[in-house]
Amino acid sequence: MALETTESIWHNGRLIAWEKAQIHVMSHVVHYGSSVFEGLRCYAQPQGAGVFRLEEHMQRLLDSAKIYRMPVPYTLEELCSAVVDVVEANGVAPCYIRPIAFRGYGEIGVNPLRAPVEVYIANFPWGKYIPGTVGADVCISSWNRLAPNTMPSLAKSGANYMNSQLIRMEAEINGYSEGIALDVNGYLSEGSGENVFVVRGGVLYTPPLANSALSGITRSSVITIAKELGIPVVEQTLPRELLYICDEAFFSGTAAEVTHLRSVDRVLVGDGTIGPVTAAIHEEFFGIVNGTRPDRYEWLTPVKVPVAEAVGV
């Protein structure tokens, strides 16, 4: 998924040219992974485009920064406005949006408190994250998610994604689309960049956040949709083997959206096709974000991008 450049990137309150968005090699983030970030999607709508759950994503960015004692010099409202500004300035939708705050150039050493905080927001075209069209073939990773009280799993930090990289690389090398990590006690946690849902007996299960899972925005959207559809939702600790005997399973996330799992460790999930619960949630989710169903939860923030660009191929 090679990057497609756009014209501008938002940096500390102003738009700069894409090629000017550079940092010094001695910036703190390069040496110590001191960054927090977000991933959002802007979807094509019949009459324009809309950013999905903008405020919730930017609040999570601020929450991640707070956990790491990183003072972001912008309010929630300013960050939300900045996202809209950069999408409209580049005129690219649908697109992926990447806000990031990090410790920049100042002092060397583990202590980050004297390094300045830089904030950038970029957007660019980005398609399907999980490869394939008939469901994902995934594996249980040999790498565990972070143990409690080591690094904060509720923070979406760059350093945490070194763990994710190990999970994803192992999966790809062994011929899988993605890997699922267990927590330190051997219970289901999440994928390298996705939350996990399992269906058994008509009930939708997902691991609680205490199992070292990120508080996913799409995860919460899936739970909201499921409850409205009358599907029972249970957040509880789940054993690995449930993935082998469940009726359905799927990933959720900004990048993965709602992607059903065809197999886990070469064991078919159900009959390998998308199941009725997953299909109902998938249909409702994409209906809302693509504008074919009402945005009854007010999840979409409109952006002024020409309709021809927003819905064109």
Side-chain angles (χ1 to χ4, degrees):
M1 298 189 301
L3 275 170
E4 291 186 47
T5 64
T6 52
E7 184 176 337
S8 301
I9 289 177
W10 189 93
H11 174 231
N12 290 349
R14 64 189 183 94
L15 293 172
I16 62 173
W18 177 284
E19 62 272 13
K20 297 293 185 181
Q22 300 178 359
I23 63 172
H24 197 281
V25 70
M26 295 307 294
S27 296
H28 195 275
V29 63
V30 176
H31 298 264
Y32 303 105
S34 46
S35 68
V36 296
F37 69 96
E38 277 300 317
L40 305 82
R41 280 192 188 265
C42 178
Y43 287 92
Q45 300 281 299
Q47 302 302 320
V51 180
F52 184 67
R53 302 198 71 173
L54 172 58
E55 186 170 320
E56 291 89 342
H57 278 99
M58 303 316 289
Q59 183 60 59
R60 190 173 63 180
L61 179 75
L62 292 172
D63 290 345
S64 297
K66 185 175 183 179
I67 290 170
Y68 274 101
R69 301 174 187 265
M70 185 184 296
V72 175
Y74 302 99
T75 66
L76 175 62
E77 292 75 18
E78 289 170 331
L79 291 171
C80 290
S81 294
V83 168
V84 172
D85 288 346
V86 74
V87 172
E88 292 184 345
N90 287 324
V92 175
C95 66
Y96 185 81
I97 304 162
R98 170 51 54 85
I100 184 168
F102 59 82
R103 300 279 187 176
Y105 180 85
E107 292 190 5
I108 198 68
V110 173
N111 180 9
L113 295 176
R114 293 186 179 87
V117 175
E118 303 276 347
V119 182
Y120 286 83
I121 303 172
N123 81 306
F124 45 88
W126 210 36
K128 188 176 176 62
Y129 182 69
I130 303 291
T133 58
V134 293
D137 296 310
V138 306
C139 64
I140 302 297
S141 180
S142 69
W143 295 97
N144 291 110
R145 271 305 194 198
L146 302 166
N149 216 32
T150 56
M151 294 177 69
S153 295
L154 287 185
K156 192 175 176 69
S157 69
N160 286 8
Y161 278 75
M162 290 298 288
N163 177 253
S164 295
Q165 289 176 50
L166 292 168
I167 295 166
R168 184 64 183 253
M169 286 189 293
E170 179 185 57
E172 185 166 323
I173 288 168
N174 289 317
Y176 296 96
S177 301
E178 180 60 289
I180 295 175
L182 307 179
D183 72 4
V184 70
N185 295 310
Y187 295 111
L188 289 181
S189 179
E190 60 181 359
S192 71
E194 311 89 7
N195 293 112
V196 180
F197 287 88
V198 174
V199 180
R200 184 170 169 85
V203 178
L204 183 63
Y205 296 92
T206 194
L209 303 183
N211 288 116
S212 299
L214 183 69
S215 182
I217 307 300
T218 309
R219 174 185 184 271
S220 74
S221 305
V222 165
I223 291 171
T224 297
I225 289 170
K227 288 179 177 178
E228 187 179 82
L229 293 175
I231 301 165
V233 180
V234 177
E235 296 182 61
Q236 69 174 53
T237 299
L238 302 172
R240 165 185 182 159
E241 60 269 25
L242 186 61
L243 284 170
Y244 305 140
I245 61 174
C246 64
D247 304 316
E248 308 172 40
F250 64 89
F251 281 142
S252 73
T254 295
E257 298 169 297
V258 177
T259 299
H260 93 272
L261 307 188
R262 181 171 63 176
S263 69
V264 180
D265 292 338
R266 312 295 186 199
V267 178
L268 279 182
V269 176
D271 64 2
T273 64
I274 188 168
V277 172
T278 306
I281 293 169
H282 183 278
E283 183 178 344
E284 196 68 25
F285 174 81
F286 280 99
I288 292 170
V289 299
N290 292 325
T292 60
R293 299 194 177 183
D295 179 21
R296 55 190 178 280
Y297 308 115
E298 298 183 344
W299 281 342
L300 293 156
T301 299
V303 289
K304 297 176 182 177
V305 177
V307 174
E309 294 183 35
V311 301
V313 295

